[in-house]
Amino acid sequence: WFLGDFRMAQALPTRSVVYEGPMNNTAIWERFDLRPDDILVVTPPKCGTTWTQIIVTSIIQGRSLGDTEMGQFSKWLDCGFRDRDEIAAFLDGMTVRRCIKSHSPLDGITYDPRCTYFAVYRHPIDVHFSMRKHNENMTLDMLNDRYPDDIHEGFRLFLEDELFNGATDAMDLHSIIHHYKTFKRWEHLPNVHLLHYADMTADLDGQVRRIAGIMGHDRDDPRLDEIINGSTFASVKAKAIEDAKRSSGGIFLKPEEFFQSGTSNKWVGKLTDAEIEAFGARMKELLPEDQAAWLLWGAKGRA
């Protein structure tokens, strides 16, 4: 009994699954080496990925960055629709501390105890409706079948489907929860940190300083004041609009609309009471109640 507990306590996450879909392809991790000070931002899409990347890269640079400038310091390594070897080569050539983006579950990427992992989550229904808007703005036809014109049919697919072996490519509820479970299991490790969109919205100052402290920076560094002000949703969106004026093409019809409203409770007035009840029942099937409360509401769910 004691030996078994000891072995479990010494266990570490391992890359045991290859996730391959239209949006994610984790095979690249087999030929990519992490560095001891790497920061990994690993989330299901539309949970605050870019927001967190902006915060992390701003802390690394010691100044407030916008989305476009952030992209010079942080790349999505296992993107399924881009040249992953080219991205890996770019990251290999970086001479500053790296911030690596991924949407893959923890069992699909490399775990290194010397690195820092931020897994970010958001109320799954908000994720669903945010992704619906995101898909409408894309020039690529990768997820149109997941977001039909009928909102209620799209929500049914979101609730019922279990596609791509748990990868986030289909953006169904099952894949979001699977992603969460792969990180929640290892939350006790000192370099695995779970963040919630609701907490970042409610207390951006506290969450930015928390992230800075985890990264080994002084939580009271006066430069954080500028970074916090530059990381508000209004500031991030304003910078994105300005950047969009100087860009053309890309995968978005309107790059300035990449950051939508930043609001929560996006389902109000769109879903029926029966659909909300079905969501609650599905959550109970997939996740224990105490864990579900945090996934829905962040720190408020623990109150």
Side-chain angles (χ1 to χ4, degrees):
W1 172 87
F2 176 80
L3 182 58
D5 279 359
F6 176 78
R7 286 174 177 166
M8 183 173 295
Q10 298 302 305
L12 293 174
T14 58
R15 178 167 46 83
S16 57
V17 181
V18 175
Y19 294 100
E20 294 181 295
M23 291 181 63
N24 296 275
N25 188 319
T26 62
I28 187 65
W29 290 96
E30 297 173 5
R31 52 188 186 276
F32 180 76
D33 294 325
L34 289 172
R35 298 174 184 170
D37 63 348
D38 280 341
I39 306 289
L40 292 93
V41 175
V42 193
T43 80
K46 308 310 294 179
C47 286
T49 321
T50 303
W51 193 12
T52 308
Q53 287 175 276
I54 289 172
I55 292 169
V56 169
T57 54
S58 294
I59 292 171
I60 292 172
Q61 293 297 311
R63 58 189 175 87
S64 177
L65 305 181
D67 177 30
T68 299
E69 194 172 11
M70 173 276 288
Q72 300 174 19
F73 301 104
S74 182
K75 298 293 183 182
W76 179 5
L77 175 62
D78 48 15
C79 178
F81 53 90
R82 291 198 171 107
D83 187 327
R84 290 170 294 285
D85 287 298
E86 182 178 302
I87 296 168
F90 176 90
L91 290 168
D92 284 338
M94 289 184 64
T95 58
V96 298
R97 191 175 189 184
R98 304 186 302 186
C99 174
I100 301 168
K101 165 186 170 178
S102 175
H103 287 312
S104 303
L106 182 55
D107 56 8
I109 68 176
T110 301
Y111 171 79
D112 188 319
R114 304 168 300 171
C115 298
T116 301
Y117 295 76
F118 290 114
V120 193
Y121 298 96
R122 186 182 189 184
H123 194 299
I125 304 183
D126 279 330
V127 172
H128 172 70
F129 279 102
S130 183
M131 194 65 191
R132 168 178 277 276
K133 279 286 188 183
H134 185 78
N135 184 65
E136 290 172 357
N137 192 33
M138 292 185 71
T139 59
L140 301 177
D141 177 9
M142 292 190 299
L143 294 171
N144 287 352
D145 61 322
R146 307 297 305 158
Y147 299 95
D149 292 339
D150 186 337
I151 286 178
H152 303 288
E153 173 62 13
F155 190 71
R156 184 192 68 78
L157 297 175
F158 167 71
L159 282 189
E160 296 179 4
D161 283 351
E162 298 184 11
L163 304 180
F164 297 108
N165 195 30
T168 55
D169 293 80
M171 288 305 296
D172 50 50
L173 179 59
H174 170 262
S175 69
I176 294 171
I177 289 180
H178 172 68
H179 190 290
Y180 171 61
K181 284 180 173 179
T182 66
F183 276 91
K184 180 65 178 177
R185 175 186 175 189
W186 301 103
E187 188 183 21
H188 62 279
L189 295 174
N191 64 330
V192 175
H193 306 276
L194 273 58
L195 304 175
H196 200 284
Y197 192 96
D199 299 334
M200 294 169 68
T201 302
D203 181 19
L204 181 61
D205 185 287
Q207 291 298 304
V208 169
R209 295 184 191 280
R210 175 193 171 197
I211 291 169
I214 290 169
M215 290 172 58
H217 291 256
D218 181 1
R219 294 169 58 105
D220 297 319
D221 187 331
R223 291 176 297 180
L224 288 180
D225 294 333
E226 177 202 343
I227 291 170
I228 291 164
N229 290 333
S231 300
T232 65
F233 187 84
S235 295
V236 168
K237 187 174 179 67
K239 290 175 185 174
I241 291 173
E242 286 302 311
D243 289 343
K245 294 176 181 177
R246 296 186 291 271
S247 66
S248 62
I251 66 170
F252 297 108
L253 297 171
K254 297 180 179 179
E256 68 275 12
E257 293 186 6
F258 177 83
F259 297 97
Q260 287 289 326
S261 64
T263 58
S264 299
N265 299 347
K266 293 179 181 293
W267 61 87
V268 175
K270 298 178 181 177
L271 298 178
T272 66
D273 290 343
E275 286 171 323
I276 297 297
E277 290 177 7
F279 170 77
R282 182 66 166 147
M283 286 289 292
K284 288 181 179 178
E285 290 178 5
L286 296 173
L287 203 60
E289 185 174 351
D290 59 331
Q291 294 185 24
W294 184 87
L295 182 60
L296 295 179
W297 308 113
K300 189 190 301 184
R302 292 196 177 113

